[in-house]
């Protein structure tokens, strides 16, 4: 795929959705961090249901530590892997208090040092909370990047590096939101809705379908 096509693809996404953002609900970098920690192998809808009950009670490292592990688990027990996630959240809150004055750090090294925070989670926080041009490649972005040929790659890190290299700078901050939403609602895994896709004429996916939005 050439740069003219890529530029046009992102122009169309921007025109359709000028201010894309995550579907996770949050009102602070800390709330976003906790939501992303909970979202691994879970849906944003499921995470939001849990945090809508948790955050009015505890939305700071101090407040969550005061809740304690068992009480925290009672708020997140509907989410997959909740035991491990709750333990990581407690440990993360303690580190934030001890090492960062309860403030979520805005650099990758410090974020990835937190329990349960990998590269993808760090990228989400860096991009969404701090407006940095980071690319959190999940299954949706990996699929869209490869299918469309915007940035084909064999693994998530390869795709991430290619996307950061080939996406025009003017789109970098919002690019990962557009690609996630496109993968989640249009370029779906089993039955992509090619017939009603905004970028169908630019996409280089050879096995296009005629599925329309239902």
């Amino acid at each position: 795929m050439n740069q003219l096509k890529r530029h046009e693809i992102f122009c169309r996404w921007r025109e359709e959705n000028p201010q894309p953002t995550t579907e996770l609900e949050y009102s602070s970098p800390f709330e976003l961090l906790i939501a992303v920690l909970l979202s691994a192998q879970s849906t944003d809808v499921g995470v939001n249901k849990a945090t809508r009950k948790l955050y009015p009670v505890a939305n700071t490292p101090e407040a969550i530590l005061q809740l304690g592990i068992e009480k925290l688990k009672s708020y997140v027990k509907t989410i997959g892997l909740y035991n491990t996630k709750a333990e990581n959240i407690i440990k993360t809150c303690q580190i934030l208090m001890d090492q960062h004055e309860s403030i979520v750090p805005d650099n990758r090294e410090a974020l990835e040092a937190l329990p349960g925070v990998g590269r993808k989670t760090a990228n989400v926080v860096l991009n969404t909370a701090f407006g940095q041009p980071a690319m959190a490649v999940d299954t949706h972005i990996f699929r869209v990047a490869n299918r469309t040929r915007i940035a084909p790659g064999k693994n998530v890190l390869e795709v991430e590096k290619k996307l950061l290299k080939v996406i025009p700078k003017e789109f970098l901050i919002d690019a990962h939101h557009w690609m996630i939403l496109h993968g989640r609602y249009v370029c779906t895994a089993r039955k992509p809705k090619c017939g009603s896709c905004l970028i169908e004429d630019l996409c280089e996916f050879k096995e296009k379908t005629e599925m329309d939005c239902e």
Side-chain angles (χ1 to χ4, degrees):
M1 177 174 288
N2 62 44
Q3 280 300 89
L4 284 175
K5 273 190 178 182
R6 291 190 185 98
H7 190 275
E8 178 60 23
I9 284 171
F10 284 98
C11 274
R12 292 184 189 180
W13 281 337
R14 180 173 62 185
E15 186 174 349
E16 181 187 48
N17 186 2
Q19 295 180 310
T21 189
T22 178
E23 293 186 320
L24 291 170
E25 296 171 359
Y26 72 99
S27 60
S28 70
F30 178 74
E31 287 188 1
L32 176 65
L33 173 62
I34 299 307
V36 179
L37 280 171
L38 291 170
S39 71
Q41 300 179 44
S42 304
T43 66
D44 289 358
V45 171
V47 172
N48 288 338
K49 285 181 180 178
T51 57
R52 282 174 197 157
K53 295 179 180 178
L54 172 64
Y55 289 160
V57 176
N59 67 344
T60 65
E62 292 86 351
I64 286 182
L65 283 174
Q66 194 169 1
L67 272 185
I69 186 71
E70 295 306 321
K71 190 71 173 176
L72 176 60
K73 285 181 181 180
S74 73
Y75 282 100
V76 301
K77 63 184 178 182
T78 55
I79 296 172
L81 306 174
Y82 77 92
N83 282 309
T84 299
K85 291 175 180 179
E87 290 170 5
N88 284 334
I89 288 170
I90 291 291
K91 292 174 185 175
T92 287
C93 288
Q94 191 66 60
I95 292 172
L96 289 176
M97 286 180 63
D98 293 344
Q99 300 179 20
H100 302 285
E101 299 180 345
S102 296
I103 296 172
V104 176
D106 61 358
N107 67 87
R108 179 184 304 283
E109 184 179 3
L111 284 169
E112 290 188 11
L114 299 171
V117 176
R119 186 178 183 88
K120 186 176 76 172
T121 298
N123 281 340
V124 172
V125 174
L126 290 171
N127 177 267
T128 305
F130 300 114
Q132 296 183 23
M135 185 63 60
V137 179
D138 66 353
T139 55
H140 297 302
I141 290 183
F142 186 78
R143 181 172 64 252
V144 170
N146 276 286
R147 269 190 187 162
T148 61
R149 312 302 290 175
I150 288 174
K154 295 179 181 178
N155 56 61
V156 293
L157 185 58
E158 187 178 339
V159 169
E160 177 189 331
K161 290 180 176 179
K162 279 191 177 181
L163 286 169
L164 290 171
K165 183 178 179 180
V166 303
I167 292 174
K169 287 184 179 180
E170 64 183 292
F171 304 115
L172 267 178
I173 298 298
D174 294 322
H176 110 263
H177 295 304
W178 286 316
M179 294 183 74
I180 285 174
L181 292 170
H182 190 71
R184 186 173 289 166
Y185 297 112
V186 182
C187 195
T188 50
R190 293 186 179 180
K191 294 182 179 180
K193 301 176 176 67
C194 299
S196 55
C197 174
L198 189 67
I199 61 166
E200 183 188 11
D201 57 316
L202 301 169
C203 172
E204 296 181 5
F205 181 41
K206 293 180 180 178
E207 301 171 16
K208 291 180 183 176
T209 73
E210 294 302 320
M211 293 294 296
D212 290 317
C213 288
E214 295 178 1

